[in-house]
Amino acid sequence: MRIERIELDGFGRFAGAAWDLAPGLSVLLGPNEAGKTTLLNAIRALLFGFESTREGRAWYPAFAGGRRGGRLTLLTAAGERWTVERHGERGGTGSLAVRAPSGNVGGQETLDRLLAGVDRELFTSVFAFGLGELQTIGSLSGEGVRSRIYGAGSGLGGMSAADLERGLRARQESIFRPRGRDQELNRAVARIEELRARIAELERQPVRHEELHRELAALAAERGAIDAARRDAEEQAARAAQLADAREPAALLAAVDAELAAGDASLDTLQPELEARLGEARAERAAAADALDAADRALEARRRRLAELEVDETLLAAGDEVAALVEGRPQDAGRDALLADAEAARAAADAELADLARRGGGDAAWLVGLDDSIAAIEATREAGTRLAAAEQRVARATARLEALGGDGTHDAAALDPARLAERRAALRALGDLRIRAAVAAAAGGGRERRILAAAAPLAVALLAGVAAAALGAAWGLPLAVAIGVAVAVIAWRASGAPGGPDLAVERQRLLALAGLAADADDAAVEEATDAAAAEWAAWQGAGRRGSAAEARAAAERELTEAAAALAAERRAWGAWLEERGLPAAASPEAARQVLGLAAAARRAAAARDAAAARMAEARAARASFVARVDRLHERLGRPLADDAGRGPAVAALGERLAAARAAAERCRELRDEIETATRERAPLEARATAAQRALDAILAAHGADDPDELRARAAAAAARRELQARRREIGARLAGIAGGEARVEEILGAATASDPATVAVDREDAARRVAELESRSHELSTRAGELRAELATLEHAAELGDLRQELSALEGRVAALAREWTVRAVALRLLEETRHRYERERQPRVVQDATGYFERITGGAYERIVAAPGEATVRVEGATGPPRLTDELSRGTAEQLYLALRFGLIEQFARASEPLPVVMDDILVNFDAERAARAAAAVRQLAERHQVLYFTCHPWTAELLDPSAAGTHALG
């Protein structure tokens, strides 16, 4: 199976992203933060669900946009195409849809079958891993991974040999360990020693049973007499204490009773809450009166404020007009600036128009009236082109005639054809050199330059032959001269291609061949080229037509025709200038410039007219505003003087209007408030009347003339109730001392009649006797305890038979445990030898495959991987030295070992199930150059049977894995 396409709707930095992947090895190269690890985690998430959130945040949220999740298109080895689509905003499975080739949609069970039971742990550990998983064997220690590495081929099924060995050793050590204490056999032997010592001790005890029982009986009788005497003493002490404690409350009770008898008993009829009710009624009356008084004061204040307000009704009637003038005041204030700007713009436009007319050689009206259309401007360009062509034709004819000898002393027969051919070739090469310089600058030394350089020798050979034939046939030169000239020119052209000699040096050489100065420019080269063409025509004409006179006559005719054509063009141009009103001596370029001045003049005239219009508009608006202000002031009876400022007057009107409107609004508010306050006063007056009636009713009910009198009686009644509560409290205290309500009168009488000094003496004597009797009782209890302990020791002799029986059972148990320990010791020894032999002679296929990969990656430094059945560790054996565990290897070598183990697992999985794609994230960074190259070769070997996706940010890694770059894709 392979991943044919990845689509991410939203995951981390990706949104709406997709990748089409080929079989075999695909290298995804990108810089840091290009999204390599994000894409690895996206593949894991789409196949096995989203990781749990971290600190309340989703892991890899779709912060670039889109719905979090996407889909994988999977292609099986049988050519079936499946689609796995998953979305979710939080951790967990999210929403999963697995589409079969038939179009049916399944869920998790369908995906589990498609992945052949591979879960997240196995996929992350073996098939999709990064440097973090590669750096520790812990990622290969899960049960699902261990069962595939260490259980395959062991013959134990689901049982681990190491687990079996550990179980045997744990049971053996739980039975017996030298110098141990908690083991079964150790504890049994210790108990046997204790039992034997105890049995011997019990067999040597004397018989004192009868003596101990008689002494205990005597002690019990004496203790009974002491307890009776102690109770009598305690009762005497308690009676004396009661009398002492009752004296104070008895005196207090008598004083309270005397105070109550002297008071007014009629106060008992007053209710306890009377004082509170009276206070509430008085407070309500005062509050109602205060509220009514406050309402009256507020109502009167509003009426006064209403009478004091004055409102200008005339100004309010003209309010809209005043507001309009106030709103238009800023515009009027800005008209001065507008007038100044417009005046300045008009002056600038007039100045520009005058300058343009001066430059054009006429007045402004003439310049504005010129036709500067596109057609007219194009006509100047066409006329210039025709005039230049006619002038060049005259110049060429003149040069040709001069080349033939203006005085008749030179003729075409005197020309040297070989020198002429060399000169023409040099001039033509100078023209080619200018083109090649532009090509070289455009090519910039890239791939095109290398192609031209590689093709130069072939071009020289082909062009040499063609050019030799052409020169010999055209010029009638000897073949050797023709070939020499052609080869020189073609060789120079090949060397002048990008990558040949320096262009400046070559130009100097060609100028020398052409007979020109070293600083000659392109115009001089073109003029020399035309002269050489004339010489060539003269030589050719002399050779073909027979005389220099004929050639000169032809040149004179050509000059006459060229001069006539030039005169005709000049006449046509003059007529065009006259028709357009332009100066008769103007050249096409000058005419174009004048037409350009005409366009600028029209723009300046338009700007001048626009500025004048703005000035007129501003002045009219100013006059209208002043008239409106004057009319309004006259209507209000406040006409303005001619020199008064209209802006300040409008501002003053606005302020007065605002004040008038505020006063009118305040009048309306005060009238509303007076009406509301009048309505609210009625319930306040009713409340005050009701409060007074309630207070009068309370006074009448208790026969009081005023509230102060009734409050004094209520306070006296409260004090009397406090005395009565005090009496009840003292009575309860006496009941507690006497031991009940029924004995209160008895204790009161005794306390009153007793002498305090006598009571104190009796209390001290009783307390002393109690202490003495308690001390003697404690001594007797201690002695009885000692006797009972000795008696219990003697009675233990009855346990002798039980102890002997326990000893016999323990001796049998010790023998059985010893046999079991011996059997397990032998089994452990046999199992250890078997395991060592298995490790030496028989390893699982997955470890064998891993060994092959590890040996290739390390260049034969390590020849063997040993994995003990059931162990979560491995060791490696090299060509020399003892075996080494993983924690004894360097970090790079350990990572290479774990990589080889994963490759072995991948190969084993593919033998029994559909192969799965393998995803790696920059795992070669800790390898040295040689081992990195071998590891890259191992990855390519694995990619021959599995799809491999390798993420890296290092171009050198990509080149190691994919030297041809055919499977390398840019990421980010």
Side-chain angles (χ1 to χ4, degrees):
M1 177 191 299
R2 70 178 179 88
I3 300 175
E4 188 177 49
R5 181 175 175 82
I6 305 173
E7 298 178 19
L8 296 182
D9 300 330
F11 195 87
R13 68 187 303 274
F14 295 117
W19 297 267
D20 291 313
L21 302 175
L25 176 63
S26 294
V27 179
L28 287 90
L29 175 64
N32 292 332
E33 298 186 359
K36 301 182 295 299
T37 305
T38 301
L39 186 54
L40 170 62
N41 281 280
I43 295 172
R44 293 175 177 171
L46 293 177
L47 289 176
F48 300 101
F50 302 99
E51 293 189 32
S52 301
T53 57
R54 301 191 179 186
E55 299 177 356
R57 299 181 297 106
W59 193 235
Y60 286 104
F63 58 77
R67 186 183 177 194
R68 185 168 179 249
R71 61 203 57 82
L72 295 177
T73 302
L74 305 178
L75 187 65
T76 66
E80 297 179 340
R81 186 170 283 102
W82 295 72
T83 302
V84 178
E85 182 172 357
R86 192 188 300 267
H87 293 87
E89 297 302 324
R90 302 181 182 276
T93 59
S95 61
L96 172 65
V98 182
R99 292 180 177 83
S102 62
N104 295 334
V105 179
Q108 188 62 49
E109 293 183 1
T110 304
L111 182 58
D112 290 342
R113 290 195 300 271
L114 183 62
L115 298 178
V118 171
D119 58 8
R120 176 188 288 274
E121 178 189 9
L122 183 58
F123 187 78
T124 301
S125 300
V126 176
F127 293 94
F129 54 93
L131 189 60
E133 290 86 3
L134 189 67
Q135 288 179 338
T136 173
I137 197 172
S139 60
L140 296 176
S141 298
E143 285 300 324
V145 182
R146 287 174 57 193
S147 63
R148 294 185 180 271
I149 299 179
Y150 308 110
S154 65
L156 297 175
M159 181 182 297
S160 168
D163 291 343
L164 179 60
E165 184 177 338
R166 282 192 293 270
L168 287 172
R169 181 168 285 105
R171 176 57 183 158
Q172 182 190 27
E173 292 181 351
S174 71
I175 294 174
F176 172 74
R177 181 184 294 175
R179 293 181 299 278
R181 293 183 179 181
D182 297 331
Q183 289 71 27
E184 292 184 54
L185 187 56
N186 296 71
R187 291 198 305 271
V189 171
R191 179 59 179 163
I192 286 174
E193 293 176 354
E194 293 176 1
L195 289 174
R196 288 174 178 170
R198 183 62 179 161
I199 290 171
E201 181 182 353
L202 290 175
E203 289 175 345
R204 292 192 299 270
Q205 289 293 331
V207 180
R208 292 189 63 223
H209 197 270
E210 287 294 331
E211 294 178 0
L212 292 174
H213 273 290
R214 285 194 297 270
E215 189 175 354
L216 279 173
L219 289 174
E222 184 180 358
R223 186 176 179 184
I226 289 174
D227 289 342
R230 187 184 63 184
R231 282 192 296 272
D232 292 341
E234 288 174 348
E235 289 177 1
Q236 182 180 355
R239 180 64 176 176
Q242 280 183 339
L243 293 175
D245 294 340
R247 285 189 62 82
E248 181 186 356
L252 292 174
L253 185 61
V256 170
D257 286 342
E259 188 174 354
L260 286 173
D264 185 2
S266 64
L267 295 176
D268 293 340
T269 60
L270 294 181
Q271 299 174 352
E273 65 274 8
L274 175 60
E275 187 174 6
R277 288 176 54 205
L278 179 62
E280 292 173 358
R282 295 182 69 181
E284 173 62 15
R285 183 186 66 176
D290 292 342
L292 182 60
D293 183 61
D296 288 339
R297 289 196 304 272
L299 184 60
E300 182 61 27
R302 290 187 179 94
R303 287 171 178 164
R304 286 197 305 270
R305 287 196 295 273
L306 179 61
E308 294 170 356
L309 286 175
E310 295 182 2
V311 179
D312 189 346
E313 297 294 344
T314 304
L315 187 59
L316 286 176
D320 292 341
E321 188 173 358
V322 172
L325 289 175
V326 170
E327 184 178 355
R329 182 174 172 243
Q331 297 178 359
D332 182 68
R335 288 191 180 99
D336 291 337
L338 289 176
L339 284 170
D341 291 343
E343 182 67 29
R346 186 178 66 176
D350 286 338
E352 183 180 2
L353 194 59
D355 180 65
L356 291 172
R358 179 186 58 76
R359 290 164 57 191
D363 57 15
W366 165 77
L367 190 60
V368 171
L370 290 178
D371 178 15
D372 63 339
S373 64
I374 295 176
I377 294 174
E378 187 62 28
T380 63
R381 290 194 179 93
E382 292 175 356
T385 301
R386 290 194 302 272
L387 286 170
E391 291 171 352
Q392 290 176 2
R393 180 180 176 188
V394 170
R396 284 195 299 270
T398 302
R400 182 174 301 172
L401 185 60
E402 292 176 353
L404 293 174
D407 55 0
T409 58
H410 299 90
D411 58 17
L415 297 175
D416 182 359
R419 172 59 185 153
L420 181 60
E422 180 181 17
R423 185 181 177 204
R424 290 193 68 197
L427 290 168
R428 189 179 295 110
L430 283 170
D432 293 342
L433 184 65
R434 184 170 55 192
I435 298 174
R436 278 194 298 277
V439 172
R447 184 182 178 196
E448 296 82 356
R449 181 167 186 152
R450 293 195 298 270
I451 294 174
L452 290 174
L458 179 61
V460 169
L462 292 175
L463 291 177
V466 174
L471 285 172
W475 293 356
L477 300 178
L479 183 59
V481 174
I483 290 177
V485 173
V487 169
V489 174
I490 298 305
W492 169 82
R493 289 188 177 181
S495 66
D502 181 78
L503 296 180
V505 175
E506 186 63 21
R507 178 179 173 82
Q508 294 298 316
R509 188 181 69 82
L510 292 174
L511 288 173
L513 287 175
L516 296 174
D519 58 350
D521 55 9
D522 291 341
V525 172
E526 291 180 1
E527 184 177 353
T529 301
D530 292 340
E535 292 177 358
W536 167 247
W539 181 86
Q540 191 177 38
R544 293 184 179 181
R545 291 189 294 273
S547 70
E550 293 177 359
R552 178 176 178 78
E556 289 176 348
R557 285 194 301 274
E558 182 179 356
L559 178 59
T560 302
E561 292 173 358
L566 177 60
E569 288 294 339
R570 286 175 175 169
R571 287 193 300 274
W573 170 243
W576 190 89
L577 291 174
E578 182 179 1
E579 179 184 355
R580 295 299 189 279
L582 292 170
S587 66
E589 178 61 28
R592 269 197 307 278
Q593 292 180 3
V594 171
L595 293 180
L597 293 176
R602 271 195 296 276
R603 288 194 296 272
R608 177 195 60 192
D609 297 341
R614 289 198 303 273
M615 291 172 61
E617 182 181 358
R619 290 191 179 101
R622 166 64 58 79
S624 174
F625 182 79
V626 170
R628 288 169 59 198
V629 173
D630 290 346
R631 287 195 300 271
L632 178 60
H633 277 79
E634 290 175 359
R635 193 164 64 251
L636 294 175
R638 299 183 181 89
L640 296 174
D642 292 340
D643 57 348
R646 267 55 178 180
V650 170
L653 276 181
E655 294 173 358
R656 289 172 52 206
L657 177 62
R661 286 177 173 175
E665 179 63 25
R666 184 56 182 154
C667 285
R668 285 193 294 273
E669 292 175 355
L670 285 173
R671 292 188 186 97
D672 293 341
E673 291 174 2
I674 289 171
E675 184 180 354
T676 302
T678 302
R679 287 195 305 271
E680 292 175 349
R681 185 184 181 282
L684 294 176
E685 185 176 7
R687 176 188 172 191
T689 302
Q692 182 62 49
R693 288 174 181 171
L695 180 60
D696 293 342
I698 293 174
L699 293 175
H702 293 86
D705 295 332
D706 57 64
D708 293 336
E709 179 186 351
L710 184 57
R711 188 176 63 178
R713 293 191 65 200
R720 185 172 177 83
R721 283 192 296 272
E722 291 180 1
L723 280 176
Q724 291 169 349
R726 177 63 175 158
R727 189 185 188 288
R728 288 191 295 271
E729 180 183 348
I730 296 171
R733 180 179 173 189
L734 286 171
I737 294 172
E741 292 285 346
R743 299 187 62 187
V744 170
E745 294 299 330
E746 177 187 349
I747 198 66
L748 278 174
T752 304
S754 62
D755 180 21
T758 303
V759 171
V761 172
D762 292 344
R763 187 175 182 179
E764 291 177 1
D765 290 343
R768 184 174 59 255
R769 286 198 306 274
V770 169
E772 292 173 352
L773 291 172
E774 284 182 349
S775 177
R776 179 57 183 166
S777 177
H778 179 68
E779 292 175 359
L780 294 176
S781 296
T782 301
R783 178 57 183 164
E786 293 173 354
L787 294 176
R788 289 192 188 94
E790 187 177 355
L791 185 61
T793 301
L794 294 176
E795 290 175 350
H796 284 167
E799 301 176 359
L800 188 58
D802 296 337
L803 295 177
R804 285 174 177 166
Q805 185 176 358
E806 182 183 356
L807 177 61
S808 177
L810 278 176
E811 288 174 345
R813 176 63 178 161
V814 165
L817 288 173
R819 285 194 300 273
E820 183 180 356
W821 186 89
T822 304
V823 170
R824 291 182 182 276
V826 173
L828 274 172
R829 181 61 180 170
L830 293 175
L831 187 58
E832 287 178 357
E833 292 181 358
T834 302
R835 179 168 58 82
H836 290 319
R837 181 176 179 182
Y838 177 87
E839 292 173 1
R840 292 191 304 271
E841 299 176 0
R842 188 162 178 251
Q843 286 288 298
R845 181 66 180 274
V846 61
V847 179
Q848 295 176 17
D849 291 340
T851 298
Y853 278 111
F854 188 51
E855 185 178 6
R856 285 194 296 275
I857 292 173
T858 60
Y862 295 95
E863 300 175 343
R864 193 159 174 263
I865 300 175
V866 179
E871 289 285 350
T873 59
V874 295
R875 64 178 185 270
V876 295
E877 296 178 355
T880 60
R884 302 169 69 180
L885 296 175
T886 55
D887 56 3
E888 297 173 327
L889 301 174
S890 68
R891 181 172 69 174
T893 304
E895 291 176 8
Q896 293 150 19
L897 170 61
Y898 303 150
L899 181 63
L901 286 171
R902 284 176 168 83
F903 284 3
L905 280 166
I906 293 168
E907 298 284 14
Q908 183 209 22
F909 183 87
R911 294 189 187 98
S913 305
E914 176 85 13
L916 293 181
V918 182
V919 187
M920 308 177 198
D921 186 5
D922 240 347
I923 60 171
L924 304 181
V925 295
N926 292 326
F927 296 4
D928 60 39
E930 293 184 2
R931 292 194 179 183
R934 297 192 197 104
V939 172
R940 290 196 300 272
Q941 178 184 348
L942 183 71
E944 295 174 358
R945 297 176 296 281
H946 304 267
Q947 183 188 37
V948 176
L949 309 181
Y950 192 99
F951 300 102
T952 181
C953 62
H954 301 290
W956 64 266
T957 302
E959 188 172 357
L960 276 180
L961 291 165
D962 185 18
S964 66
T968 300
H969 309 277
L971 186 64

